[in-house]
């Protein structure tokens, strides 16, 4: 059965657009970005579909939602929503209880010191100093979050933690338990990375260190509960510890 509708969010993907066209979909909606170099075939196929604009420096979720305009399914609500199983929630609670941490009584601060590329990483030593400062001044319990290549930087953070700083290392959780962990936090601090976007889905206050990337595209505008620390020179390690503690 041929689909009634299809959309393509991968900018300039000739393979994706061609496959959707060959599927026989009655209506295809795609994003168009004038700044991207695309093939002549892509430009020809674009004339046979519904084209929605895409531009740098704008919050991306509403642009993706616009792909649904042709079928009147764009609600305009770009708020992320994620869910986790009761089992995942119980598993995370069990680990926290084992460390004598109670989300109802203790301040839980997540720290996500990694990310997809190292040029986005605020220095591990400063994350450790910030964690120690939060533990001393606000009795915060530190929740370390990450996966994949993040293990290296998480280990560096742990080396810098003082003996009295209580922490839990949740490195390499299942996706379900990762979401359950984020949902239990009272604050998350990290680089421009997945955990910060995930925190948006659970309305968790956050502080994000931004270096070479454009924070406007995947993060909410700054507000009292959503702080963005952006390096003026695009080098995230130029953001001082003092700047972070003042936030």
């Amino acid at each position: 059965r041929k689909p009634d509708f299809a959309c393509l969010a991968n900018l300039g993907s000739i393979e994706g657009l061609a496959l959707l066209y060959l599927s026989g979909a009655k209506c295809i909606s795609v994003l168009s970005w004038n700044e991207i170099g695309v093939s002549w075939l892509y430009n020809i196929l674009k004339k046979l579909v519904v084209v929605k604009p895409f531009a740098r420096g704008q919050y991306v979720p509403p642009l993706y939602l616009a792909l649904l305009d042709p079928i009147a399914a764009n609600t305009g609500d770009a708020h992320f929503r994620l869910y986790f199983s009761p089992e995942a929630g119980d598993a995370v609670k069990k680990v926290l209880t084992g460390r004598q941490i109670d989300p109802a009584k203790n301040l839980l601060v997540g720290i996500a010191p990694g990310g997809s590329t190292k040029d986005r990483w605020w220095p591990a030593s400063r994350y450790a100093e910030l964690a120690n400062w939060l533990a001393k001044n606000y009795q915060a319990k530190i929740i370390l979050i990450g996966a994949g290549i993040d293990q290296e930087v998480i280990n560096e953070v742990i080396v810098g933690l003082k003996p009295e700083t209580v922490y839990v290392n949740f490195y390499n959780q299942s996706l379900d338990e990762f979401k359950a962990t984020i949902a239990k936090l009272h604050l998350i601090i990290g680089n421009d990375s997945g955990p910060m976007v995930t925190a948006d889905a659970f309305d968790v206050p956050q502080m994000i260190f931004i270096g070479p990337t454009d924070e406007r595209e995947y993060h909410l505008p700054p507000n009292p509960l959503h702080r963005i620390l952006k390096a003026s020179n695009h080098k995230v390690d130029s953001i001082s510890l003092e700047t972070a503690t003042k936030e």
Side-chain angles (χ1 to χ4, degrees), residues 62-115:
L63 303 182
Y64 286 145
L65 281 178
L67 290 170
L68 302 177
D69 286 346
I71 56 173
N74 181 1
T75 64
D77 182 4
H79 187 282
F80 289 106
R81 288 177 178 82
L82 295 174
Y83 305 91
F84 55 88
S85 69
E87 292 77 13
D90 290 342
V92 172
K93 182 179 179 180
K94 182 178 180 180
V95 174
L96 295 176
T97 301
R99 294 284 287 147
Q100 298 183 321
I101 297 174
D102 183 351
K105 298 178 180 179
N106 302 126
L107 173 64
L108 270 60
V109 177
I111 290 184

Side-chain angles (χ1 to χ4, degrees), residues 1 3 39 86-87 95 103 118-119 128 133 147 156 162 173 176 181-182 222:
R1 183 174 180 270
S39 70
E87 292 77 13
V95 174
K118 293 185 178 182
D119 61 343
W133 182 84
E156 290 180 29
K162 293 182 177 179
Q173 294 174 289
D176 203 15
T181 299
I182 296 289

Side-chain angles (χ1 to χ4, degrees), residues 29-98:
S29 181
V30 304
L31 289 174
S32 176
W33 187 18
N34 293 331
E35 297 177 42
I36 194 169
V38 294
S39 70
W40 61 270
L41 180 56
Y42 183 85
N43 286 322
I44 290 176
L45 289 175
K46 273 202 317 183
K47 298 177 181 179
L48 305 175
V49 300
V50 177
V51 178
K52 307 301 292 187
F54 186 92
R56 286 183 180 275
Q58 296 184 34
Y59 191 45
V60 169
L63 303 182
Y64 286 145
L65 281 178
L67 290 170
L68 302 177
D69 286 346
I71 56 173
N74 181 1
T75 64
D77 182 4
H79 187 282
F80 289 106
R81 288 177 178 82
L82 295 174
Y83 305 91
F84 55 88
S85 69
E87 292 77 13
D90 290 342
V92 172
K93 182 179 179 180
K94 182 178 180 180
V95 174
L96 295 176
T97 301

Side-chain angles (χ1 to χ4, degrees), residues 9 19 23 47 150 165 220:
L19 286 172
S23 74
K47 298 177 181 179
D150 301 342
T165 298
L220 296 172

